[in-house]
Amino acid sequence: MADVWQTAVVRALEEPVTRLVGDKTGKAFEVLGIRTVHDVLRHMPRHLMSGTDTTDLSQLLDDYRRGVVDDYVAVMARVASVKQAGDPSRLRLEVRLTDGTGFLEVTFFGKKHMIDYWQKLLSRSERGIFAGKLGWFRDRPQLAHPAFAMDTRDGYIGSADSMRVARQVMKSSYIGLYPQSSKLPTWTISECAELAINHIAGLGDALPEWVRDAADVIDFEAACRAVHLPTSREEHAAGRRRLIFDEAFATQVAMAYRRADSRLHRARPRPRRTAGLLDAFDARLPFVLTEQQQAVSEVIFGELERTRPMQRLLQGEVGSGKTVVALRAMLTVVDGGGQAVLLAPTEVLAQQHLATVRELLGDLGAGATLGAPEMATDVVLLTGSTPASQRRDLLDGIASGAAGVVIGTHALLDQRIDFADLGLVVVDEQHRFGVEQRNALGVRADQHPHVLVMTATPIPRSVAMTVFGDLDVSTITELPGGRADVTTTVVDQVTRPAWVDRAWQRVAEEVAQGRQAFVITPRITAKDDAGGASVEEMYAKLSSGPLATCKVGMLHGRLPTDEKADVMRRFAAGALDVLVATTVVEVGVDVPNATVMVVCDAESFGISQLHQLRGRIGRGSHPSVCLLLTSAEEGTNARERLNAVASTRDGFVLSEVDLSQRREGDVLGNSQSGTRSSLRLLRVLEHADDIALARTLAEQVVERDPQLTDPGVRDYVTQIERLAEGDWQEAT
Ligand code: ADP
Ligand code: MG
C-alpha cells in the first residue's frame, strides 16, 4: 500500500496515527475510528471554546438532562465555592462552579493530603477549565474528578494532564473541544492534531492551485491549523470549509472520471424492434402506461440504441410502476438478441419478481415450451438457495442464451456466471453496480451491458450527485391512477394504551370487511433484556387474543425459503388475513387488498424504512390506515421521525428530513460505529452548493487531464475510491 501514494502530503497523511502518538494512544484513537494522520486532522472539534468565554452552564445542564450532549465535557467556569465534606475516612471536596447563571457541582474524592492540595489549587484563581465526565448524583448532574487547570496571573496551573489544556489555551485563543472518550480526553486529541499538522507542514497541497482559486478555499495546511488551532471563529470556519470541500471535490472527481470512463465503454446497441416480445407484451398489458412511464421508457429505448452503455438511475415511489418500465427495457434487449438480468435485494423479492414477470409475460415467458409463441423466451430464477441439481441446468440455459430473462438476488454477484450475450442489468433497490460486479457477471471488457438501477427511496439531488454521480437520473412522480389515501397516525402506547387496543380492533374490522393487514415488528425473537415487540411474540399474542378470529401468518428472514414463499403466496391469495412480519415485506411486495398496517415499536425504524413499509398499503382502491405504535416521547428525535412520516407521503420531503437527522456516514454506508466513514464532514444537504461547485470543477479536471496524470488528483481519487468501498445502503 505504501507506494500507492504519489504526493508527499498524501503519503504523510496516510501514515498511521501511532507514528505520532505511539501504540497506546493509537489504540484509543482507533475506538473513535481514527487510524491515520489524515483521520486525526479530519476529526473536528465539536465546539470552539474561547479562552475568555465562560461556558453557558444552564444550557449545558439542560442539554445534559435532555440527553443531547456528550457525557464528556470541558467547561470554563468560575469557582463559586469550595468546601471539604464527609468524615475523615471518606473525605471529599465539594466545588460549585458557576457562569453567573447556572451552577455545576464538582466532586473530588481522596486522601486528606490530596484533598488539601486540590483545594489549594482551586483557590489560586477564580476561574479554570474543568474537563471530565458528567454523571448523576442525587438527581443532579455532577462532574466527578475532572482534570482542571486554574487560570492564574502566572498562566494556567494544574496537574500534568490539566496543563495540556492550559498549553492549548495559551497557544491559540480558542480551544477546540473534541468528541472524546475516557481514554482520550479532548486535550490529548488537540495535542495530537497539532503533531499531525507539524507532520504535514511544508509538504504542500494535493489539491491543484487553480481548483483552490476557483473554489475560493484556503490551502490544506492552513486549513488544518485554522480548524484545530484557530485564532478566530472566522478562521476556523474557513478551515472547515476547505476540508469539507475536499470531500465534495474528491467524490466528484472520482465520479467524473467514472463517467468519462464509461463514455469510452462500448455496448451492443439494442434498437427497438417491432413485432417482437415487447410489442406482444404491450399488447397484453392489462393497463395503460402512465405518461411518465411512457416518457422514461422512451429515454431508455433511446439509450439502448446507442453504442455507449446506459447508466441510469430510475427513482419513483413504491408502486409507481418502475418494474413494468424495467421489464419493457429487458424485453427490448431480448428482442435484440441479448439477455437481461434483474437483481433483487432479497430472496423474497426475487421470488416476487419472478411471479410478477411470469404473470405479465404469460406464455411469452414460457421459452421453448410446446405451443408458446415463437418469440417466447425463458425466464429463470437463480439465487443463493437454488439447489445444486437445478443450478447446472439454469447455468446452461444462461450460457446458451435460451434464458433471456434471469432474475436473481444480489448474491449472484458473488459468483461468476457466463452469459451468452448479457445486454442489460437491472438492479432493484439502489445497489451499486461496479467493476467487481461486472466481472462477476462475466462481462467482457470490450462490451458492457446497459445498466438500470431502480430505487423507491427518493434521493435528494445533492445525494444523487454524491452517491450516484456517475448515473443519469429519471424520476417517476405520479402513481398509476386509482390509488387510495393512506392516513397515518402515531399512537403513543405509553400515554394512550387504549388506542393500542383500538388499533387491533381496527385490524379486525378491516378483516371483517374482507381486507388484509400487515403487522410489522422490528425483530424476529424477543430479546431477553429489553421488552419490545417481536414477530414471534406478536404472532402468539395476536392470534390467541385480539385477532383470534382472523387467519394470521408469520413472515421473517429466518424461515426457510419455501416457507417464506408459501406464506407470501397465501397472503397474496387472500388465504391469510394478517401477516405479522419483519421488514422482509419492506420493498416490492404487492397486495392491493391490504389496507391496514400496524408498525410496532415504530421508533426502531428509520424514516425511509417506514415510508417504504407504508408503501405496502393503499395499493388498491380502498382507503388505508397506517398506525405507528411507539413509546418514544414527544420531543425526541425518534418521535419527530414518526411525526414526519405521519405528516406526509411525499418521499422527497421525508428523505430530506431523514438526511437532516442522520449523519453523513449513515447516508453513505458504513453506519456501524467504529468503521470509518469516508466522508466525515460533508453533509449532503447542508453543503449542496459546494457539491455542485465541486462537480463543475471536477468536470474541468477531467477535461484538462483526461488520463488522470496529475499525481495530486490521482491520490485524491484513489483515496476516495478506497474509502468509499462500502456500498450505499440504508442505515437500518
Ligand atoms: P414499483 O416497482 O415502482 O414499486 P410496480 O411496477 O411493482 O411498482 O407497480 C406496482 C403495481 O402497479 C403493480 O401491480 C403493477 O402491475 C401496477 N401498475 C404498474 N403500472 C401501472 C399503470 N400504468 N396502471 C395501472 N397499474 C399499473
Ligand atoms: Mg418494484
Side-chain angles (χ1 to χ4, degrees):
M1 199 43 80
D3 57 351
V4 168
W5 311 112
Q6 306 172 50
T7 45
V9 64
V10 176
R11 268 200 302 278
L13 283 171
E14 288 297 315
E15 281 188 57
V17 63
T18 48
R19 276 288 305 267
L20 305 178
V21 294
D23 287 344
K24 191 158 153 271
T25 312
K27 278 234 159 49
F29 269 110
E30 202 157 298
V31 173
L32 296 175
I34 295 173
R35 290 185 191 89
T36 64
V37 172
H38 201 181
D39 293 338
V40 172
L41 291 170
R42 288 190 175 276
H43 189 62
M44 289 271 178
R46 187 166 289 167
H47 303 290
L48 270 195
M49 186 166 69
S50 119
T52 53
D53 275 351
T54 33
T55 309
D56 185 338
L57 285 182
S58 29
Q59 180 68 45
L60 178 78
L61 294 181
D62 211 44
D63 288 350
Y64 183 63
R65 287 198 183 91
R66 291 192 298 128
V68 297
V69 286
D70 278 0
D71 293 352
Y72 293 94
V73 297
V75 300
M76 175 165 288
R78 211 147 52 70
V79 178
S81 67
V82 185
K83 67 171 197 286
Q84 297 196 8
D87 54 77
S89 66
R90 299 207 41 175
L91 214 51
R92 65 179 189 273
L93 190 64
E94 291 182 353
V95 183
R96 290 189 93 197
L97 301 181
T98 185
D99 60 349
T101 57
F103 290 94
L104 175 62
E105 314 288 335
V106 176
T107 312
F108 296 89
F109 304 93
K111 295 253 162 57
K112 172 82 172 131
H113 71 276
M114 285 310 293
I115 296 271
D116 287 342
Y117 168 70
W118 287 322
Q119 186 165 21
K120 211 171 119 211
L121 258 183
L122 284 161
S123 42
R124 284 288 300 275
S125 159
E126 285 214 308
R127 241 161 45 100
I129 296 171
F130 298 79
K133 187 172 189 229
L134 277 176
W136 291 97
F137 181 69
R138 292 204 185 114
D139 295 335
R140 299 167 75 165
Q142 77 157 13
L143 202 54
H145 268 287
F148 68 97
M150 301 307 293
D151 181 10
T152 73
R153 212 169 294 173
D154 309 324
Y156 279 83
I157 56 163
S159 64
D161 259 359
S162 306
M163 285 312 290
R164 300 164 136 181
V165 186
R167 274 190 47 212
Q168 292 300 333
V169 181
M170 289 180 284
K171 196 161 300 163
S172 70
S173 29
Y174 286 82
I175 315 163
L177 298 182
Y178 294 83
Q180 55 178 355
S181 72
S182 55
K183 297 233 167 56
L184 206 55
T186 177
W187 50 88
T188 305
I189 298 173
S190 93
E191 271 196 343
C192 182
E194 194 183 344
L195 293 173
I197 294 169
N198 295 338
H199 188 70
I200 56 137
L203 294 182
D205 195 332
L207 187 66
E209 198 179 340
W210 71 265
V211 178
R212 269 180 297 178
D213 288 345
D216 192 22
V217 293
I218 61 179
D219 79 70
F220 184 69
E221 189 186 327
C224 291
R225 262 180 221 290
V227 160
H228 297 284
L229 305 166
T231 57
S232 74
R233 285 184 192 275
E234 293 69 37
E235 188 183 277
H236 177 78
R240 238 186 115 81
R241 171 150 185 271
R242 157 65 204 254
L243 297 192
I244 289 165
F245 180 79
D246 269 354
E247 297 183 356
F249 184 69
T251 320
Q252 292 306 326
V253 170
M255 297 289 181
Y257 276 106
R258 227 181 276 166
R259 278 196 300 273
D261 185 45
S262 65
R263 279 198 283 271
L264 299 176
H265 290 165
R266 311 286 295 175
R268 179 173 297 181
R270 314 280 177 179
R272 191 175 165 175
R273 267 192 23 211
T274 48
L277 264 176
L278 177 62
D279 281 354
F281 170 79
D282 282 350
R284 56 173 76 180
L285 206 56
F287 44 74
V288 181
L289 294 174
T290 64
E291 259 174 49
Q292 291 185 349
Q293 281 174 316
Q294 292 273 16
V296 174
S297 288
E298 288 310 318
V299 170
I300 292 174
F301 294 149
E303 290 185 324
L304 292 177
E305 262 177 32
R306 297 198 310 226
T307 53
R308 184 146 71 74
M310 169 171 77
Q311 299 272 352
R312 184 158 289 277
L313 174 72
L314 173 55
Q315 55 176 347
E317 295 274 315
V318 168
S320 58
K322 299 182 295 295
T323 309
V324 177
V325 172
L327 189 53
R328 295 183 82 221
M330 294 165 81
L331 296 178
T332 308
V333 167
V334 177
D335 276 339
Q339 292 164 291
V341 172
L342 171 57
L343 297 174
T346 64
E347 294 247 359
V348 170
L349 286 172
Q351 298 262 5
Q352 267 230 329
H353 277 313
L354 178 73
T356 310
V357 169
R358 286 219 164 123
E359 191 185 316
L360 285 168
L361 286 179
D363 57 6
L364 296 173
T369 17
L370 212 59
E374 200 190 329
M375 66 190 60
T377 188
D378 263 346
V379 178
V380 301
L381 176 72
L382 186 64
T383 70
S385 65
T386 307
S389 54
Q390 291 172 25
R391 199 170 194 84
R392 166 106 12 119
D393 271 358
L394 289 177
L395 289 173
D396 284 350
I398 294 170
S400 75
V405 174
V406 180
I407 297 170
T409 50
H410 292 133
L412 284 193
L413 298 175
D414 297 338
Q415 62 216 46
R416 203 189 149 84
I417 295 172
D418 285 309
F419 286 80
D421 179 9
L422 179 60
L424 171 65
V425 178
V426 177
V427 189
D428 195 8
E429 282 315 315
Q430 63 190 14
H431 282 247
R432 293 223 64 90
F433 185 75
V435 177
E436 311 82 59
Q437 285 85 352
R438 289 197 181 99
N439 294 341
L441 289 182
V443 169
R444 292 193 302 266
D446 60 341
Q447 193 193 314
H448 286 73
H450 299 279
V451 175
L452 181 66
V453 178
M454 298 195 286
T455 176
T457 310
I459 302 170
R461 203 178 121 68
S462 51
V463 181
M465 276 196 299
T466 309
V467 185
F468 293 108
D470 53 343
L471 302 180
D472 302 306
V473 181
S474 293
T475 307
I476 299 185
T477 53
E478 64 187 352
L479 297 182
R483 293 293 164 80
D485 269 356
V486 178
T487 316
T488 306
T489 309
V490 181
V491 177
D492 192 320
Q493 47 194 14
V494 179
T495 60
R496 310 234 181 237
W499 287 24
V500 178
D501 298 336
R502 179 75 193 99
W504 303 127
Q505 226 175 325
R506 181 68 195 261
V507 170
E509 285 163 16
E510 290 285 326
V511 169
Q513 301 274 322
R515 307 281 86 79
Q516 288 166 283
F518 291 103
V519 175
I520 307 295
T521 72
R523 61 190 76 84
I524 300 172
T525 319
K527 276 198 223 156
D528 302 335
D529 47 343
S534 70
V535 169
E536 289 168 348
E537 265 178 331
M538 291 310 289
Y539 174 75
K541 183 178 137 189
L542 294 174
S543 51
S544 65
L547 304 181
T549 56
C550 312
K551 283 164 285 179
V552 184
M554 170 162 81
L555 182 70
H556 58 72
R558 262 191 244 142
L559 294 175
T561 312
D562 305 355
E563 203 174 324
K564 268 188 286 195
D566 185 54
V567 172
M568 258 333 291
R569 198 160 39 236
R570 279 162 56 215
F571 186 67
L576 291 172
D577 303 316
V578 179
L579 191 61
V580 183
T582 53
T583 51
V584 170
V585 297
E586 194 177 331
V587 209
V589 172
D590 188 22
V591 180
N593 189 44
T595 53
V596 196
M597 173 173 288
V598 181
V599 184
C600 305
D601 293 341
E603 70 276 9
S604 321
F605 301 97
I607 286 183
S608 67
Q609 240 180 342
L610 289 169
H611 179 63
Q612 297 269 350
L613 283 167
R614 180 172 52 182
R616 306 294 105 227
I617 55 172
R619 289 168 83 85
S621 51
H622 305 283
S624 301
V625 190
C626 177
L627 301 168
L628 307 174
L629 308 191
T630 183
S631 43
E633 280 174 50
E634 205 61 75
T636 56
N637 256 359
R639 184 60 175 263
E640 257 154 46
R641 284 205 299 275
L642 302 183
N643 292 343
V645 172
S647 72
T648 179
R649 276 171 87 197
D650 184 329
F652 281 92
V653 173
L654 288 177
S655 75
E656 304 236 332
V657 176
D658 195 11
L659 269 179
S660 64
Q661 274 206 2
R662 279 158 42 167
R663 284 187 50 83
E664 68 292 343
D666 298 334
V667 174
L668 297 159
N670 290 337
S671 60
Q672 311 91 315
S673 59
T675 54
R676 83 192 203 174
S677 148
S678 59
L679 306 184
R680 294 185 176 280
L681 309 169
L682 189 66
R683 313 257 148 127
V684 279
L685 282 188
E686 197 181 330
H687 304 124
D689 289 348
D690 269 341
I691 293 174
L693 173 62
R695 185 178 165 111
T696 310
L697 293 173
E699 288 290 345
Q700 292 174 24
V701 168
V702 176
E703 253 166 58
R704 284 170 178 237
D705 181 14
Q707 300 306 316
L708 187 46
T709 53
D710 181 300
V713 178
R714 233 173 138 128
D715 276 354
Y716 260 103
V717 176
T718 318
Q719 231 174 351
I720 282 293
E721 296 259 87
R722 221 173 49 129
L723 291 174
E725 264 155 24
D727 285 355
W728 156 287
Q729 62 195 35
E730 278 306 303
T732 52

